[in-house]
Amino acid sequence: MLRLITGIPGPSGFGSASTAEQVTQGIDASNLTAIITGGASGIGLEVARVLALRGAHVIIAARNMDAAREAKELILKGNNIARVDILNLDLGSLKSVKAFADDFKALHLPLNILINNAGVMFCPFQLSKDGYEMQFATNHLGHFYLTNLLLDKMKETAKVTGVQGRIVNLSSVAHLYTYKEGIRFDMVNDEAGYHEKMAYGQSKLANLLHANELSRRLREEGTNITVNSVHPGIIWTNLMRHSVLFSKIMKLFTWMLWKNVHQGAATTCYVALHPDLKGVTGKYFLDCNEYEPSELARDEALGRKLWDFSEKLVNAAQGK
């Protein structure tokens, strides 16, 4: 807690006060292509800007294409040689996820980095276009399906180039605040028992479990791709739009813990680019340092069960 409040660097040499530019200083990413979901605003936009600043070819995946175009213009305004493309992606629709993956593959680009950043937070109960609770569907299931669709491209890129691929899941310290059983497999769509904050925690726990299980599977295959999770910190972004009053009250009492967007993007950029993390996989990072997540997040059996459950939901939505 002292390190979080004061910004004192941890073992990595970085801490809560570090910015995305600082943690990537001197890194040449000109040979890398990265997809960033939700890259049109907030933390995602700053991650996209900094990766482009370091030379990466950035693909912004966004539901709001007007915002995506504005984000691209903003990045190019500060860096006129930046390589930025935008593609439509609605994570609440598995059909849209499939269309995005097809559109990306049609570009015939390599894929070195996948940053599963987009999400919704504390929204009232609603169902996705596929009939699943929106926070679980958008934050976890859409990213689960997207990652699976792009995995062969990442494997191919890593094999051909010899450059290790990296997948980064945006989780949250909120994974600690979930339903008692962690993932409510039999009650994901239960409106009567829905709690918007615990449902968010459930989706963030799912992000961690997904990353850990995928990491385990890729290690078994001997694939040159790492998968890690991050907590970006507490930052005021559009993610707060469903809980403005609650967030303002929370900020009043916890103001010393909040970050700006430049600091909030640091851990994602660190895990995505820093050479010190070559070969590091299946870990959880906070303030650019490795931390131990909850006991539920470390439960391998729960991770395998979530994987099978997620595949079942994806197949059901596609009529398989």
Side-chain angles (χ1 to χ4, degrees), residues 41 97 160 294:
S41 64
V97 173
V160 170
S294 70

Side-chain angles (χ1 to χ4, degrees), residues 57-306:
H57 185 173
V58 171
I59 311 298
I60 291 176
R63 184 172 56 85
N64 185 332
M65 292 304 287
D66 288 336
R69 280 186 282 271
E70 290 176 6
K72 179 178 178 178
E73 290 175 7
L74 181 65
I75 293 171
L76 289 172
K77 185 176 180 179
N79 176 14
N80 60 12
I81 62 170
R83 294 178 293 161
V84 183
D85 286 303
I86 60 175
L87 290 175
N88 183 251
L89 171 64
D90 179 359
L91 287 160
S93 163
L94 296 178
K95 182 179 179 180
S96 175
V97 173
K98 178 64 165 61
F100 170 86
D102 290 342
D103 289 343
F104 174 75
K105 292 172 185 177
L107 296 175
H108 300 293
L109 293 171
L111 182 57
N112 306 93
I113 301 169
L114 172 61
I115 299 177
N116 291 320
N117 164 82
V120 293
M121 178 178 175
F122 299 167
C123 57
F125 182 85
Q126 55 187 301
L127 297 178
S128 71
K129 293 177 181 178
D130 302 294
Y132 304 127
E133 188 276 309
M134 186 62 78
Q135 294 193 83
F136 186 82
T138 302
N139 298 351
H140 165 65
L141 197 61
H143 282 128
F144 172 84
Y145 186 41
L146 176 67
T147 303
N148 282 353
L149 290 173
L150 297 175
L151 205 51
D152 284 343
K153 171 59 69 172
M154 292 197 72
K155 290 177 180 179
E156 176 190 332
T157 301
K159 184 176 181 179
V160 170
T161 64
V163 177
Q164 188 169 74
R166 297 190 185 188
I167 298 171
V168 184
N169 275 8
L170 267 285
S171 181
S172 170
V173 70
H175 81 275
L176 295 164
Y177 186 63
T178 182
Y179 298 108
K180 183 179 179 181
E181 59 270 53
I183 306 293
R184 304 172 80 193
F185 294 104
D186 298 325
M187 301 175 66
V188 167
N189 287 351
D190 179 32
E191 184 175 2
Y194 179 77
H195 187 287
E196 67 272 13
K197 294 176 181 63
M198 284 193 283
Y200 179 70
Q202 173 181 246
S203 72
K204 295 291 101 179
L205 173 62
N207 293 148
L208 260 161
L209 289 168
H210 169 223
N212 291 346
E213 175 61 13
L214 179 56
S215 173
R216 184 188 68 79
R217 289 171 179 243
L218 293 178
R219 284 198 307 269
E220 284 188 353
E221 291 179 15
T223 303
N224 192 24
I225 299 172
T226 63
V227 194
N228 293 293
S229 305
V230 305
H231 167 56
I234 311 174
I235 306 101
W236 191 279
T237 69
N238 288 337
L239 203 61
M240 304 288 187
R241 64 187 178 276
H242 294 295
S243 58
V244 174
L245 180 60
F246 171 79
S247 299
K248 285 183 176 179
I249 294 172
M250 184 172 70
K251 188 171 185 179
L252 181 65
F253 292 99
T254 61
W255 58 269
M256 73 292 290
L257 303 179
W258 287 61
K259 298 180 177 184
N260 59 43
V261 172
H262 307 292
Q263 295 165 334
T267 304
T268 301
C269 289
Y270 174 74
V271 175
L273 286 186
H274 206 282
D276 284 356
L277 294 190
K278 183 177 181 180
V280 176
T281 189
K283 304 298 182 181
Y284 171 63
F285 290 84
L286 185 158
D287 297 335
C288 301
N289 288 276
E290 184 184 330
Y291 278 78
E292 186 171 79
S294 70
E295 184 176 348
L296 283 170
R298 304 192 307 273
D299 187 332
E300 291 189 10
L302 185 62
R304 287 191 289 271
K305 185 175 181 180
L306 175 64

